[in-house]
Every structure is written in C-alpha cells, then in structure tokens.
Amino acid sequence: MPLSPDEVELFERARARLEAIAYRLLGSASDAEDAVQDTFLRWQAADRQRVETPEAWLTKALTNVCLNQLTSARARRETYVGTWLPEPVLAGDRMLGPLDTAEQRDSVSMAVLTLLERLSAKERVAYVLREAFGYAHTEIADILGVSESNCQQIYRRARQHVAGDRARAQVDGATARRIVEEFLAAAANGETQRLVTLLTDDATSIGDGGGKIPARTTPVVGGLAVARFLRGLFAPSDAKRDIVGGSPALYAEVVNGAPALVVVLDEQVVGVMSLKVTSDGVAALHIQVNPDKLVRATRHWSTSAHGEPLLRVW
C-alpha cells in the first residue's frame, strides 16, 4: 500500500532522530544515511495499519538494520588498511542529535565512538539507546529481543567498557578556538617542549587514511613521541603539498563536541584533527584524512558559516 502524505511526514519528522541513533551505532555518517534509507523502505513495505506506536516501530526497524550492518562492518574492518576511526561530524550537523547532557555528548565523542568498536553489537545498541536517548530497559529489551534483566546486564557490561575514558567537559566554540590556537601555535612553530606541556604523559595520536592518503598505521604513544610527530607533521614540504593538492587552511572548529582542527583546501575538507581534552591536557588526537569519511563534513562545511583560518600550512 503506498505511503500516504501523513505517513511520509511522520517518517520525515523521525529522520533526524533515526540518523543520530544510526550514527552512534555505526560510527559512519554515510552508513547511517544508508541505514535510515533502508528503514524508510521497510516502513513503506510494512502493514502500517497494525503499527500502534510508529516511533517505537521505526526505532526497532532501524536498530535491526544497524545490527546487520555492524556484523558486515566487522568483517570489512578486518581487511581495512591501517587504523579504522569513526567519521567526524561538524558542529551544527543534525546527525549529532541531542547534546544537552554529558552522557549525550560523550556518546558522540570520537574517543567513545572509537571505544564502542570494541563492544558487541547488542552492547553497543544498549549503551547508545540508554545513554544518549534515555530509552528504558524494557524498550531496549524489546528491540533486542531479550529479557529486561538480560538487557540490564548487557548495558552494565557496555558501560564498564566505556567508563573512565570520557571527557566530561562541554566545549563551546570560543573555548575550542582558544585550545586549538594554543596547540596549533606550538605545533606550527616546532615547539616540542611546549607541546609536551600541553599533552598528557600518556597521550596518543591515531590516524586513518584508509589506504588512500598516507597515515601512520600504528598509534603514536607518549607525550614526547606525539610532540615530535606533530612537529614533523606541520613542517612544510613539497611532498605534503602534492598529497593534498596545495596549501590548505586550518580552522578551529568543534567536531563531535570536541575542539578540532579542520583542514580545508578549495572548500573541501581534506582532514580533521580532533582533540580529546582532559583536565590534565590533550590526551588523544584522532586524525581523519580518509576522503571517503570527509564527504559529509565537506557538504556541511560548504553550507555553514565559519571564521577566518588560523593558518595556512606547507
């Protein structure tokens, strides 16, 4: 039976929430878009006269799509070139969903999205629906097809895996710019010791080029090692200009709720360096340069306002 205008409108009202759930579950904006589209097709094919609560039906249908995608994604990532990192999403993008509470902001941070990769598919669902969207255990249990007590156990295991690695501070645009400016100034000027003071002793840097752009295939670990890596990364060279096709501009932005450097060339986002900031300093850098994972960021960048670049490099 074709969808009525009201049924189409109902789905479109739910689209932003469904995208936000799917992004947290999959760590990929493009995969989240595909999952929501698949859910729309299921909604179109469903016997909608028998659906008592459309929001719950759509959430369950989307979750089932994502569970299938997570299974296939794990197989794909076994052959992924280098380190797999989540796809960055710029501030203002509706795919980030609600960011009103610390739990909601944590659930979309690059650090937590990376940690969620270690969870089982059901643990990831339980964590995301409970932490970011406030679903009751009874609702999550119904979605997962398990008992409520089992659901609570799944959620507790997931939360234990993620606990202790969350940066609770909310970062606004002005704070992000100040943090990034100070960090960039030290890196661009080759001030290794200054960088060491800004980094935690156990800081890490992880890059994702997807085999398409050169990136370290193993993490850099330790404040001094990361500082030296950054000094080399920001040093000008013809080789770096050749890789990106010119001299990009660096902007201070908020990405996944955290301070970040966004690298832009000819209105195209060619890199995102997200900073995990703690009370002790910058604890982690997540560097995304895989062009496949910067498509949505570029699309959002081209339609949003942004200030002057902090610096042009190389």
Side-chain angles (χ1 to χ4, degrees):
M1 188 174 179
L3 290 169
S4 69
D6 287 345
E7 289 168 335
V8 172
E9 183 184 356
L10 185 153
F11 186 89
E12 290 305 320
R13 287 200 305 268
R15 184 180 289 273
R17 179 180 60 85
L18 296 174
E19 285 185 351
I21 293 173
Y23 173 63
R24 285 166 166 83
L25 289 178
L26 302 173
S28 165
S30 58
D31 288 348
E33 289 175 334
D34 291 343
V36 172
Q37 185 58 30
D38 285 351
T39 303
F40 176 78
L41 295 177
R42 293 189 180 199
W43 174 240
Q44 193 173 39
D47 183 356
R48 297 178 298 280
Q49 299 294 331
R50 301 181 63 182
V51 176
E52 295 182 4
T53 311
E55 179 180 300
W57 189 97
L58 290 171
T59 301
K60 186 170 185 176
L62 173 80
T63 303
N64 286 330
V65 171
C66 290
L67 285 168
N68 291 336
Q69 285 203 22
L70 284 170
T71 301
S72 60
R74 289 187 188 280
R76 291 197 308 273
R77 285 168 198 170
E78 288 178 1
T79 59
Y80 192 83
V81 179
T83 302
W84 185 94
L85 288 178
E87 183 175 343
V89 176
L90 276 60
D93 191 320
R94 72 181 187 184
M95 191 163 280
L96 290 173
L99 298 174
D100 300 324
T101 68
E103 288 78 14
Q104 289 169 341
R105 293 190 295 273
D106 285 341
S107 71
V108 83
S109 72
M110 296 299 289
V112 169
L113 286 175
T114 302
L115 275 176
L116 292 181
E117 287 295 303
R118 305 176 190 172
L119 305 184
S120 71
K122 287 186 176 182
E123 286 172 344
R124 190 161 184 161
V125 168
Y127 182 86
V128 166
L129 292 182
R130 182 69 175 167
E131 290 283 302
F133 297 92
Y135 279 75
H137 286 298
T138 52
E139 297 172 293
I140 302 171
D142 179 64
I143 289 170
L144 292 177
V146 299
S147 68
E148 185 176 351
S149 61
N150 191 8
C151 178
Q152 291 173 335
Q153 292 174 349
I154 292 170
Y155 168 70
R156 279 197 295 270
R157 286 199 303 269
R159 205 166 189 275
Q160 286 169 359
H161 282 301
V162 178
D165 205 278
R166 299 186 287 188
R168 286 281 185 179
Q170 183 175 7
V171 180
D172 58 24
T175 302
R177 185 177 180 89
R178 177 182 56 77
I179 293 169
V180 172
E181 281 180 346
E182 187 174 9
F183 193 80
L184 177 59
N189 293 325
E191 299 175 6
T192 303
Q193 289 307 312
R194 178 58 183 148
L195 280 171
V196 169
T197 64
L198 295 173
L199 294 159
T200 62
D201 292 341
D202 59 351
T204 60
S205 175
I206 308 170
D208 178 354
K212 300 184 177 183
I213 297 293
R216 282 185 61 112
T217 57
T218 56
V220 182
V221 181
L224 180 57
V226 172
R228 288 171 173 167
F229 167 72
L230 290 170
R231 184 181 62 188
L233 183 64
F234 283 92
S237 75
D238 291 337
K240 293 170 187 171
R241 282 189 290 271
D242 289 343
I243 289 171
V244 299
S247 298
L250 301 185
Y251 293 82
E253 298 290 335
V254 176
V255 174
N256 290 77
L261 275 172
V262 177
V263 186
V264 180
L265 181 66
D266 298 331
E267 291 303 303
Q268 181 175 351
V269 177
V270 296
V272 174
M273 178 186 288
S274 302
L275 281 63
K276 179 188 172 185
V277 180
T278 69
S279 57
D280 296 324
V282 177
L285 304 174
H286 295 88
I287 305 172
Q288 185 57 260
V289 292
N290 182 345
D292 293 344
K293 297 184 181 182
L294 298 172
V295 173
R296 188 179 178 99
T298 293
R299 195 162 69 228
H300 184 76
W301 182 267
S302 66
T303 60
S304 61
H306 37 80
E308 293 297 313
L310 297 178
L311 181 70
R312 290 190 180 274
V313 295
W314 308 329

